[in-house]
Amino acid sequence: MRTPTPAQLLQVWERGGGQSAAACGLLLLGIGCDEYSAEAIAALPLGRRDALLLQLRARLFGAEICGVADCPQCAAAVEATFRCEDLLSAQDACAASAASFEHVSPAHGFHVHFRLPDSNDLLALENCADAAAARRLLLERCVLAARRGEAPCEPRTLPAAVQAEIAQAMAAADPQADLQLAFTCPSCAHSWQPLFDVAGFLWRELHAWALRMLRDVDTLAHAYHWREADILSLSARRRLAYLELCAP
């Protein structure tokens, strides 16, 4: 993995405007992961994708993350600080290396082979009308083969109980894809575990960074009549020094 330049980050920010978190995550990894092709990145299990995004986040904005969530009990804003490595699962590499997984349901007599959801699946689910349709489509895409006894069956015909078992098996095989944070409200002592969307969080950080960077470029361009490319090529330390010099 490499650290993208400011110019590359602004290009990605511009391209990703209005796109989903899944699409934006692919754009970010596309400029940070030289070891993968675009097709290979899109086919990574979501846990592996999130692990790479956490590594990229540490490179871009540091290892420490400050998060804020509203308490569902009293609506108070609760802050939490954690590090990127705290969110990395030891099972990530195992999930990334396996092409398929097996689930046996003795109680219902089904034998299922499935793969883990990836970014292509998330993009496909964006067109679903509701959550139920999304679950059906994800099952059809990720179940590679299913049979009851010796008779093959279509994924959509699997009983609801077996579908739930497959979902649990997917979560167990790729725990990195289901990140939950531990919050405790200091006002009412309520504790809860909100999901942490790495791609969405990193994109919001990039958006805030891009707006600040564009303001800096505007300030320096007016003061020194430099081109945007020249300003972006400056190191962060030198750019800050020039901003301080031209401040009123």
Side-chain angles (χ1 to χ4, degrees):
M1 179 174 287
R2 61 184 176 86
T3 304
T5 66
Q8 290 173 325
L9 289 173
L10 283 178
Q11 290 172 357
V12 163
W13 169 76
E14 187 174 9
R15 289 171 56 196
Q19 296 195 47
S20 66
C24 291
L26 291 178
L27 289 174
L28 285 168
L29 290 180
I31 62 169
C33 295
D34 290 336
E35 62 269 38
Y36 294 104
S37 66
E39 293 77 14
I41 292 174
L44 289 173
L46 295 180
R48 181 58 180 159
R49 181 207 66 167
D50 286 354
L52 290 173
L53 285 173
L54 285 169
Q55 294 174 33
L56 180 61
R57 196 277 177 190
R59 284 176 172 267
L60 294 177
F61 303 119
E64 188 172 273
I65 297 177
C66 296
V68 179
D70 293 332
C71 174
Q73 191 75 22
C74 69
V78 182
E79 296 184 2
T81 301
F82 45 92
R83 297 180 64 81
C84 291
E85 63 250 30
D86 296 336
L87 302 178
L88 293 175
S89 168
Q91 297 184 42
D92 166 55
C94 298
S97 62
S100 66
F101 297 81
E102 183 179 19
H103 174 70
V104 179
S105 178
H108 300 89
F110 286 92
H111 197 109
V112 179
H113 287 271
F114 65 89
R115 64 169 177 80
L116 296 175
D118 58 29
S119 295
N120 290 320
D121 299 316
L122 292 186
L123 294 175
L125 299 183
E126 292 175 2
N127 296 321
C128 293
D130 52 38
R135 284 194 295 269
R136 288 194 299 270
L137 180 58
L138 186 63
L139 185 74
E140 292 177 359
R141 291 176 63 92
C142 291
V143 171
L144 305 176
R147 69 177 190 271
R148 189 173 193 178
E150 298 300 323
C153 57
E154 294 295 324
R156 63 176 178 272
T157 65
L158 293 171
V162 177
Q163 294 183 25
E165 290 176 4
I166 296 171
Q168 293 174 356
M170 287 181 176
D174 194 12
Q176 185 71 64
D178 185 25
L179 290 177
Q180 296 183 358
L181 305 179
F183 277 80
T184 299
C185 179
S187 299
C188 69
H190 177 70
S191 297
W192 77 105
Q193 294 181 313
L195 293 174
F196 182 59
D197 178 8
V198 180
F201 183 86
L202 180 53
W203 189 258
R204 288 191 294 274
E205 286 190 309
L206 177 65
H207 179 69
W209 171 90
L211 295 181
R212 292 194 303 270
M213 179 60 70
L214 290 177
R215 283 194 295 269
D216 292 348
V217 168
D218 180 70
T219 299
L220 293 176
H222 277 87
Y224 298 106
H225 307 290
W226 292 338
R227 298 181 307 148
E228 180 187 70
D230 295 329
I231 297 171
L232 293 177
S233 67
L234 295 171
S235 67
R237 184 181 179 89
R238 184 175 294 186
R239 192 182 310 115
L240 178 60
Y242 279 118
L243 286 169
E244 292 175 348
L245 287 173
C246 69

